[in-house]
Amino acid sequence: MKESRPSDIDVQRYWGILQRRRYLALAVALTVISVFTWGSVFWPKTYEASSTVFIERGSLVNPLAGREGAGAGTEEWLRTLEERITSRSIIERVIKKLGLDAHVTTREQFEGLVEGIRSKITVTTKAPRGRRGEVTDLFSISYSGSDPATVRDIVNTLVSEHIEQNLNLRRSDAYGALEFIQSQLMEYKAKLEQSDKAIREFREKNPQMIPQSETALLNRVEGYQAARIEAEIKLKELLRKRDTLQKQLSGEKELTTAFVAREGSPQSRLSYLNNQLALLMPKFTDQHPEIRKVKSEIEELKKQIDQSKDAPQGISGSETASINPLYQQLKEELAKTDAEIESLKARSLELLRQQQQAQGVLGRMPKEQEEWARLQRDRNVYQQIYDELLQKYESARVTKNLELTDKTVMFNVVDPAPLPQYPVKPNRLMLIVVGIVLGIVSGVAAAIVLENINHTYKDEESIEKSLKIPVLASIPQIITESDVRAERQRDRKVFAFAGAYLIVIGLVLLEELLYRSTGARVIHF
């Protein structure tokens, strides 16, 4: 109980202060409430209108950028969206279209009008995730002013003018892209034809170079070398054979006396063996077993014939003059050998020529292969670029046709700007409520502050506490009945006036509440 007594004393003290300073507290409270209430009433109203527009990036077709026209450059485009919307050309068209310059007479006034409108335009952008994985660029355009109809018309006209300007730009971009791609297509077509001509001339100039590889050419050179060595070895064999045949031919006579022997006689056997020897000599050397065998048998037969020379001619056979068959056979074999020698010489010379030609091609190959690779590379690059340009040309042509038929809608107005019903500034309801709260607080605070800064003594107790001396006597204030009646009458008048004034403030607050809830005003300020 002892802890609560100071609090009761303080409340009573403050209540006493309010009673003594009631006129001051009431005046301050009403003044603050009046400032906020009538300030909100006579404060110029500012209305704001806003329109929301979105762009579907997935629906755009840009022949130069690929399938999606917005692509990676849309973020940069959105960053410059405000500059585009608030550009001087669009604002001037809005002013002319709405007739906002009807009372403008000088250039300075017109410039001020343009800058005034531009400063009150706000553009906000965002890019939420759209349906089916497509990104939708959403932005809103806001404008604030004193006239709600003008604010609405400016926003809607800004949106329509921006969309119209963007559509015109897209059409011009489509035509420009088509013309640019067409010029590039013709340029690369000419380069491709020139490259084909260079490749054709190179192939005509180097018929044995293309198509060839260095490994295949080396294998050809080695093949020519091996064939030439083989031909030279065989040529040497044929030359030795020819020398042997020439020696044998020089030891034989073209005509000889033939001894016609009976069948099975030594002479007949000797003639057979000579023929066999003549056939074996070109094929084998003298040390060959067959040749040695035939020669040994020939020697034995010659000895037998020498021993039987004295025998009667009628018993062994008869002699006759005829062409030597061995001579003829050797002569034919020699002619055949000469023909083979000439053929091998010609073949060896041709192989040497082919080898030298291949070696020459192999020596020129690095430079010519480099030239060939360059021609092929250039041709492939030109062909690739030409094919890509051809696809983009078809895309640009389709885009141009779509633009002409207005079937590629980039922009869609989600929410057109409506006629604003309530001003965004001032918020009359909030200002009146805040004024009432601040008025009450400021009235109480003014009374307490004034009481605290007044250092006069209020009673005997304050004198004794301050001066530390006892009070011997005090003269009380004499209040008559007439004084009490006069004070009560004055209080009734003051509180009646204050009540009536607060009723007016309450009506203003009630009217604002009704306006916010129904949209209709009972009292027009």
Side-chain angles (χ1 to χ4, degrees):
M1 296 298 293
K2 292 181 180 179
E3 294 179 356
S4 62
R5 288 178 63 187
S7 176
D8 294 340
I9 294 174
D10 290 339
V11 171
Q12 292 177 358
R13 175 174 176 270
Y14 290 138
W15 178 250
I17 292 173
L18 287 178
Q19 285 183 340
R20 288 193 299 271
R21 306 290 182 179
R22 58 184 177 277
Y23 296 146
L24 174 64
L26 188 60
V28 172
L30 292 178
T31 301
V32 173
I33 294 173
S34 299
V35 168
F36 277 86
T37 302
W38 304 119
S40 66
V41 171
F42 296 105
W43 193 338
K45 300 177 183 63
T46 301
Y47 295 88
E48 183 177 83
S50 177
S51 177
T52 303
V53 184
F54 78 89
I55 311 170
E56 290 186 358
R57 288 199 285 183
S59 66
L60 303 182
V61 179
N62 188 337
L64 294 178
R67 294 182 60 187
E68 292 188 0
T74 300
E75 286 74 14
E76 182 179 357
W77 180 80
L78 287 176
R79 284 195 296 269
T80 60
L81 181 61
E82 184 172 2
E83 285 74 9
R84 293 185 179 184
I85 294 176
T86 58
S87 63
R88 184 180 184 85
S89 59
I90 292 182
I91 293 179
E92 287 183 353
R93 289 202 299 271
V94 170
I95 292 173
K96 298 295 183 182
K97 193 170 185 179
L98 298 179
L100 301 178
D101 57 344
H103 302 289
V104 175
T105 57
T106 62
R107 185 65 183 177
E108 289 74 13
Q109 291 178 350
F110 186 80
E111 293 294 334
L113 179 61
V114 171
E115 293 300 324
I117 294 176
R118 179 181 294 169
S119 63
K120 297 178 182 178
I121 296 174
T122 303
V123 180
T124 57
T125 62
K126 56 182 178 178
R129 179 62 57 180
R131 294 177 299 177
R132 299 180 181 178
E134 294 183 355
V135 176
T136 302
D137 294 321
L138 191 68
F139 67 93
S140 62
I141 303 173
S142 303
Y143 179 78
S144 58
S146 59
D147 183 43
T150 304
V151 168
R152 177 199 59 189
D153 295 341
I154 287 178
V155 172
N156 290 331
T157 308
L158 271 175
V159 172
S160 62
E161 289 296 327
H162 175 67
I163 293 176
E164 181 66 26
Q165 184 186 50
N166 197 276
L167 290 176
N168 292 334
L169 288 175
R170 287 173 53 212
R171 290 191 181 99
S172 62
D173 288 344
Y175 281 101
L178 184 64
E179 294 177 357
F180 174 75
I181 294 175
Q182 189 173 11
S183 64
Q184 291 295 308
L185 193 63
M186 297 302 296
E187 179 180 349
Y188 276 93
K189 183 179 180 181
K191 289 183 178 180
L192 190 60
E193 293 175 351
Q194 187 176 1
S195 180
D196 289 337
K197 180 180 178 181
I199 291 176
R200 184 173 62 253
E201 292 176 352
F202 183 85
R203 292 176 66 94
E204 292 174 354
K205 183 180 179 181
N206 304 276
Q208 298 180 350
M209 178 67 68
I210 307 299
Q212 283 194 87
S213 64
E214 189 173 357
T215 302
L217 200 56
L218 285 173
N219 292 335
R220 285 178 56 189
V221 172
E222 292 176 357
Y224 290 146
Q225 179 71 15
R228 193 166 64 86
I229 293 174
E230 182 181 356
E232 289 179 354
I233 292 174
K234 191 172 182 180
L235 180 62
K236 290 180 180 180
E237 292 177 354
L238 289 175
L239 289 175
R240 286 198 298 269
K241 179 181 178 181
R242 186 180 67 177
D243 293 340
T244 303
L245 290 174
Q246 287 178 348
K247 289 179 181 179
Q248 290 180 356
L249 189 62
S250 63
E252 295 291 337
K253 295 181 180 180
E254 184 176 1
L255 297 175
T256 183
T257 301
F259 180 77
V260 181
R262 292 189 302 272
E263 186 176 357
S265 63
Q267 289 81 3
S268 176
R269 178 64 179 170
L270 180 60
S271 176
Y272 172 75
L273 291 175
N274 284 329
N275 291 335
Q276 286 295 111
L277 181 62
L279 295 174
L280 293 174
M281 286 297 291
K283 299 180 179 180
F284 306 104
T285 62
D286 294 340
Q287 302 300 323
H288 197 272
E290 289 293 331
I291 293 179
R292 294 177 65 182
K293 179 181 178 182
V294 172
K295 284 185 177 182
S296 176
E297 191 174 352
I298 289 174
E299 292 296 330
E300 290 295 330
L301 286 174
K302 284 182 178 181
K303 290 179 180 180
Q304 291 179 10
I305 292 173
D306 290 340
Q307 291 176 1
S308 61
K309 284 183 178 181
D310 295 334
Q313 295 295 325
I315 297 174
S316 59
S318 61
E319 294 181 357
T320 180
S322 63
I323 298 175
N324 189 353
L326 181 59
Y327 181 86
Q328 290 294 335
Q329 188 176 2
L330 290 174
K331 190 172 181 181
E332 291 176 1
E333 188 69 22
L334 182 61
K336 182 179 178 181
T337 302
D338 288 337
E340 290 181 1
I341 289 173
E342 293 299 325
S343 175
L344 281 176
K345 286 182 178 180
R347 183 184 178 190
S348 180
L349 290 175
E350 180 62 24
L351 289 173
L352 179 61
R353 188 186 68 81
Q354 293 287 345
Q355 181 183 357
Q356 291 176 349
Q357 183 179 3
Q359 288 176 344
V361 172
L362 188 62
R364 299 191 309 270
M365 178 170 285
K367 182 178 180 180
E368 294 183 353
Q369 286 288 71
E370 182 180 355
E371 179 67 16
W372 171 253
R374 185 187 65 80
L375 292 174
Q376 288 288 97
R377 182 177 62 252
D378 292 346
R379 202 267 179 194
N380 292 335
V381 171
Y382 294 152
Q383 183 67 50
Q384 181 180 1
I385 297 177
Y386 180 79
D387 294 340
E388 292 178 357
L389 288 173
L390 193 59
Q391 294 178 357
K392 291 183 178 181
Y393 177 77
E394 291 299 323
S395 177
R397 189 174 60 82
V398 172
T399 302
K400 187 197 73 171
N401 294 334
L402 290 175
E403 293 293 345
L404 291 177
T405 56
D406 285 335
K407 292 183 179 180
T408 57
V409 179
M410 273 182 59
F411 296 91
N412 188 8
V413 181
V414 179
D415 294 319
L419 182 67
Q421 297 293 326
Y422 310 106
V424 293
K425 291 186 298 184
N427 189 340
R428 185 179 297 173
L429 183 63
M430 183 189 68
L431 288 175
I432 294 175
V433 173
V434 171
I436 293 173
V437 174
L438 288 180
I440 295 172
V441 172
S442 60
V444 174
I448 294 173
V449 169
L450 186 61
E451 183 71 18
N452 290 330
I453 64 175
N454 186 2
H455 299 292
T456 60
Y457 297 110
K458 308 297 188 301
D459 50 24
E460 295 85 351
E461 184 180 358
S462 61
I463 296 174
E464 291 178 350
K465 286 182 179 181
S466 177
L467 301 178
K468 304 299 182 181
I469 58 175
V471 177
L472 299 178
S474 63
I475 301 174
Q477 183 180 5
I478 300 173
I479 301 176
T480 64
E481 186 67 26
S482 60
D483 293 334
V484 173
R485 286 197 301 269
E487 184 176 2
R488 288 178 181 176
Q489 188 176 3
R490 185 170 58 252
D491 288 342
R492 282 196 297 270
K493 291 180 180 179
V494 171
F495 287 118
F497 173 78
Y501 188 75
L502 289 177
I503 290 174
V504 173
I505 300 296
L507 291 175
V508 173
L509 179 61
L510 180 62
E511 195 273 341
E512 188 65 25
L513 285 173
L514 292 174
Y515 175 64
R516 293 286 179 176
S517 60
T518 63
R521 285 196 178 276
V522 179
I523 303 173
H524 294 278
F525 296 99

